């Protein structure tokens, strides 16, 4: 998935140049798995030469574990493609992390997947990372490189002749390849969109059959759409030939709904978490319940229960309600201002000890908690949208 930069395109072009010498132009997409692996291996060798890789054991294990889990699903299930071919091929997938801050990932024919460190920093959960990897595996499993090669064969054959002629004349072949890069970028627009949409849809299918939440595909794409809107001055290059992220998010939503998958963004993103922290007020042990930086309520020992236990109980109720999809309109002040409910369930019912600890009335403590919950959720929605 070419998310913010497409620096991997030159490696892809190299793979296509190699492919041009290996395949003859035919009206159908002929699949030669051994040749495809050879193409990918030679292109991967170029990536290896020009890239610095992350070797941190924790990060490497995370990417490889997730990658292999999705690859196993891809090898077990053949998803009918809307672009490319579903010709079976149990590739030996490999997953590596490039030491690059750009938010990017790319795949090469034959099972080679690369994730930038910047992308690892960008995703908010293993589910989102699995979605990115599933997308890349879909490109490989549906032989998108060969499909694109078929569409580009005539241009590539002419380019190959130019490269060979340039080499014979003593030209720097890398310059010629970069020129070829520009030519192919201009000519791939009709196929990039189809391949991306097919990879998105196929990735949802892979995720559905895995332990990862397919909603991660949606939240990741929604965040990309948000960031594209925030940074209109960026020259998106090859992204101009791909469907806009907001359109892809819409298509992913439709796919999730068609599969009956309940969309709960909180499960797969770093939405604000409910936290409990012990504290002390004038020598009295207490506990704070917060959402992000917003203090919801400070509890005291009451009713034979310690402050920390009461706070943890409140936090659990809030978290359960939010995970169930509660929104701003579900938070209500009820019982004559004595307690706060979410979707009709009592979540916060301050005690006299809580009121005494804060130096306020029970009604004021309850009102403050109600306003704090509303504020926290509003801030969360605002941050996610903007």
């Amino acid at each position: 998935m070419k998310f913010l930069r497409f620096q991997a395109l030159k490696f892809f072009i190299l793979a296509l140049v190699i492919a041009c010498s290996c395949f003859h132009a035919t009206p159908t997409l002929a699949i030669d798995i051994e040749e495809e692996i050879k193409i990918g291996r030679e292109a991967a060798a170029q990536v290896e030469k020009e890239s610095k890789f992350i070797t941190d054991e924790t990060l490497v294990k995370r990417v490889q574990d997730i990658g292999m889990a999705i690859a196993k699903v891809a090898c077990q299930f053949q998803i009918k493609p809307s672009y490319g071919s579903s010709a079976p091929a149990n590739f030996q997938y490999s997953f590596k992390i490039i030491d690059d801050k750009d938010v990017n990932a790319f795949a090469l024919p034959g099972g080679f997947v690369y994730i930038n460190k910047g992308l690892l920093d960008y995703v908010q959960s293993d589910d989102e990372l699995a979605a990115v990897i599933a997308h890349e595996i879909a490109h490989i499993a549906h032989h998108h490189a060969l499909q694109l090669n078929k569409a580009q064969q005539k241009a590539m054959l002419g380019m190959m002749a130019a490269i060979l002629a340039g080499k014979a004349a003593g030209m720097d072949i890398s310059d010629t390849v970069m020129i070829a890069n520009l030519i192919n970028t201009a000519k791939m627009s009709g196929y990039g969109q189809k391949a991306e949409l097919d990879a998105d849809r196929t990735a949802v299918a892979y995720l559905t059959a895995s332990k990862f939440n397919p909603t991660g595909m949606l939240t990741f794409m929604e965040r990309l759409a948000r960031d594209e809107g925030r940074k209109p001055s960026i020259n998106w290059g090859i992204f101009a030939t791909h469907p806009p992220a907001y359109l892809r998010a819409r298509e992913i939503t439709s796919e999730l709904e068609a599969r009956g998958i309940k969309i709960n963004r909180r499960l797969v993103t770093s939405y604000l978490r409910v936290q409990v922290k012990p504290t002390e007020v004038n020598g009295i042990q207490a506990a704070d319940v917060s959402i992000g930086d917003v203090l919801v309520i400070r509890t005291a020992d009451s009713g034979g229960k310690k402050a920390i236990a009461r706070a943890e109980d409140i936090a659990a109720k809030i978290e359960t309600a939010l995970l169930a999809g509660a929104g701003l309109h579900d938070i209500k002040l009820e019982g004559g201002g004595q307690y706060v409910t979410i979707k009709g369930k009592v979540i916060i019912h301050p005690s006299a000890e809580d009121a005494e600890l804060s130096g306020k009335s029970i009604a004021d403590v309850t009102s403050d908690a109600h306003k704090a919950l509303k504020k926290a959720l509003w801030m969360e929605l605002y941050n996610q949208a903007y």
Side-chain angles (χ1 to χ4, degrees), residues 3 15 17 42 46 91 103 108 112-113 131 160 210 215 229 255 274 289 313 333 343 359 370:
F3 293 124
V17 170
E42 293 190 37
Q46 187 66 27
F91 295 120
V103 179
L108 296 174
F112 302 91
V113 178
M160 191 65 178
S210 76
T215 303
E255 186 68 22
V274 185
V289 178
D313 181 56
L333 187 62
K343 288 191 171 183
H370 175 253

Side-chain angles (χ1 to χ4, degrees), residues 1 70 123-132 134 200-224 245 248-271 273 322-323 325 384:
M1 186 180 294
I70 300 298
V123 297
Q124 295 186 355
S125 65
D126 283 355
D127 299 291
E128 287 194 345
L129 179 55
V132 174
D200 286 345
R201 183 185 63 82
T202 303
V204 171
Y206 290 160
L207 293 166
T208 302
S210 76
K211 66 180 181 179
F212 300 102
N213 190 331
T215 303
M217 190 82 195
L218 175 61
T219 55
F220 184 83
M221 198 59 62
E222 286 176 333
R223 199 156 57 257
L224 277 182
R248 291 170 69 179
R250 187 184 306 165
E251 294 295 320
I252 292 168
T253 299
S254 296
E255 186 68 22
L256 292 172
E257 291 175 345
R259 290 178 174 274
I261 297 170
K262 185 176 181 180
I263 297 173
N264 188 335
R265 293 168 177 81
R266 182 176 289 276
L267 294 174
V268 298
T269 60
S270 59
Y271 277 70
R273 301 300 183 190
L322 296 181
L323 286 173
Q384 289 296 321

Side-chain angles (χ1 to χ4, degrees), residues 2-276:
K2 316 304 179 285
F3 293 124
L4 295 182
R5 298 270 180 99
F6 199 65
Q7 80 272 27
L9 182 58
K10 62 180 179 179
F11 302 131
F12 190 63
I13 294 300
L14 284 174
L16 293 178
V17 170
I18 298 168
C20 200
S21 65
C22 298
F23 293 90
H24 298 289
T26 59
T28 59
L29 181 60
I31 302 295
D32 185 327
I33 301 302
E34 293 304 316
E35 288 289 353
E36 188 174 9
I37 293 173
K38 178 183 177 183
I39 292 167
R41 187 177 294 121
E42 293 190 37
Q46 187 66 27
V47 176
E48 299 282 337
K49 290 179 182 178
E50 300 191 11
S51 303
K52 179 182 177 182
F53 293 95
I54 296 293
T55 58
D56 180 272
E57 291 183 3
T58 301
L59 293 179
V60 170
K61 186 177 187 303
R62 181 191 182 197
V63 169
Q64 291 184 345
D65 286 352
I66 294 174
M68 293 310 297
I70 300 298
K72 183 178 180 180
V73 171
C75 290
Q76 290 177 337
F77 299 94
Q78 289 186 32
I79 308 301
K80 185 177 180 180
S82 58
Y83 177 83
S85 169
S86 59
N90 292 326
F91 295 120
Q92 297 298 312
Y93 286 91
S94 66
F95 306 89
K96 293 188 177 183
I97 307 170
I98 295 178
D99 189 4
D100 191 309
K101 65 181 181 180
D102 287 344
V103 179
N104 194 22
F106 62 94
L108 296 174
F112 302 91
V113 178
Y114 298 92
I115 306 293
N116 276 12
K117 177 60 167 57
L119 188 139
L120 289 183
D121 296 333
Y122 190 77
V123 297
Q124 295 186 355
S125 65
D126 283 355
D127 299 291
E128 287 194 345
L129 179 55
V132 174
I133 291 176
H135 178 100
E136 297 306 327
I137 288 177
H139 278 312
I140 295 169
H142 282 176
H143 310 279
H144 288 164
L146 296 191
Q147 180 69 50
L148 184 59
N149 174 68
K150 173 190 149 184
Q152 298 295 320
Q153 278 177 343
K154 289 184 179 180
M156 292 301 295
L157 285 169
M159 187 193 315
M160 191 65 178
I163 291 174
L164 293 176
K167 186 176 181 181
M171 292 174 58
D172 184 345
I173 193 168
S174 63
D175 292 338
T176 310
V177 171
M178 291 308 295
I179 292 174
N181 180 333
L182 297 177
I183 294 173
N184 277 271
T185 297
K187 293 186 176 183
M188 288 197 293
S189 60
Y191 294 91
Q193 294 192 26
K194 295 178 181 179
E196 294 303 314
L197 290 175
D198 177 68
D200 286 345
R201 183 185 63 82
T202 303
V204 171
Y206 290 160
L207 293 166
T208 302
S210 76
K211 66 180 181 179
F212 300 102
N213 190 331
T215 303
M217 190 82 195
L218 175 61
T219 55
F220 184 83
M221 198 59 62
E222 286 176 333
R223 199 156 57 257
L224 277 182
R226 179 199 69 188
D227 288 346
E228 283 181 357
R230 281 178 171 179
K231 305 168 184 177
S233 62
I234 292 178
N235 179 6
W236 296 100
I238 191 68
F239 284 106
T241 72
H242 290 170
Y246 77 87
L247 177 60
R248 291 170 69 179
R250 187 184 306 165
E251 294 295 320
I252 292 168
T253 299
S254 296
E255 186 68 22
L256 292 172
E257 291 175 345
R259 290 178 174 274
I261 297 170
K262 185 176 181 180
I263 297 173
N264 188 335
R265 293 168 177 81
R266 182 176 289 276
L267 294 174
V268 298
T269 60
S270 59
Y271 277 70
L272 298 177
R273 301 300 183 190
V274 185
Q275 305 170 59
V276 173

Side-chain angles (χ1 to χ4, degrees), residues 333-373:
L333 187 62
E334 297 188 279
Q338 298 298 298
Y339 51 83
V340 177
T341 66
I342 300 181
K343 288 191 171 183
K345 294 184 178 181
V346 177
I347 303 298
I348 300 175
H349 192 172
S351 67
E353 289 80 3
D354 298 332
E356 183 179 355
L357 184 69
S358 64
K360 299 179 179 180
S361 68
I362 292 178
D364 285 342
V365 172
T366 308
S367 176
D368 288 347
H370 175 253
K371 292 176 182 177
L373 282 172

